[in-house]
Amino acid sequence: MAKVVVGVIGSHKNEAKVEQLAHNLGKKLAEVVDNIVCGGLSGVMEAVCKGFKEGGGQTIGIIPCEDKAGANKYCDIIIPTGMGLVRNVLVVKAADILIALPGEYGTLSEIAYGLQYKKPVIGIDTWDIPGVIKVDSVEQAVAKVRELTK
């Protein structure tokens, strides 16, 4: 696959443990792919964007509001939708592979869309759903991305 885009999905709430996981994931993903896409807000989305940018990658935020100012400061490309949670399907469609971190019903909807659209969905400590490729660590998730992009 050329120019693989990995979508990272997870909670918008600020939870230190999950944000550290997302930040580490972003840094490690930057060694494997050039672009990530996410919902562009806080929590997992901000942490993964920060880590990815630190690794030299480009971030894409597809945000639910109409004003680009609603995106986190680590988004390079901001796509304001004004669509609320409906924008979740756009995040999924923009990605070639999804990595799901802990989250609530928004994350659940993105997992479901990913599975419906036959996208590989890798899960770290997230919803236990048939079809999700369960891994136990950032390193395992990145190894799976490498495997899927060969």
Side-chain angles (χ1 to χ4, degrees):
M1 276 186 202
K3 293 288 181 182
V4 172
V5 177
V6 172
V8 179
I9 57 179
S11 179
H12 69 277
K13 295 181 178 178
N14 296 316
E15 300 172 17
K17 180 180 173 186
V18 176
E19 285 183 22
Q20 187 60 53
L21 177 71
H23 183 261
N24 292 342
L25 177 63
K27 284 177 112 172
K28 294 290 185 185
L29 279 174
E31 299 171 9
V32 180
V33 297
D34 296 320
N35 302 287
I36 60 166
V37 65
C38 68
L41 300 178
S42 61
V44 161
M45 298 166 276
E46 185 169 3
V48 76
C49 286
K50 180 180 181 187
F52 198 73
K53 283 186 67 67
E54 287 172 0
Q58 179 173 265
T59 61
I60 305 162
I62 302 178
I63 62 174
C65 49
E66 294 179 4
D67 186 352
K68 287 183 179 184
N72 74 64
K73 64 184 177 182
Y74 303 104
C75 289
D76 294 312
I77 298 171
I78 302 167
I79 303 170
T81 66
M83 298 172 70
L85 290 176
V86 175
R87 70 78 159 84
N88 289 358
V89 73
L90 300 176
V91 172
V92 170
K93 291 294 282 182
D96 299 301
I97 299 167
L98 294 163
I99 300 177
L101 299 179
E104 296 181 0
Y105 296 123
T107 304
L108 177 60
S109 74
E110 288 168 311
I111 291 170
Y113 285 130
L115 295 173
Q116 283 184 308
Y117 289 121
K118 309 285 189 240
K119 309 258 178 163
V121 180
I122 301 165
I124 304 174
D125 195 25
T126 193
W127 294 84
D128 185 14
I129 297 171
V132 173
I133 302 162
K134 292 175 72 171
V135 297
D136 296 321
S137 68
V138 164
E139 291 75 20
Q140 287 179 1
V142 172
K144 194 66 178 171
V145 169
R146 276 195 173 110
E147 178 186 320
L148 291 168
T149 57
K150 285 184 179 178

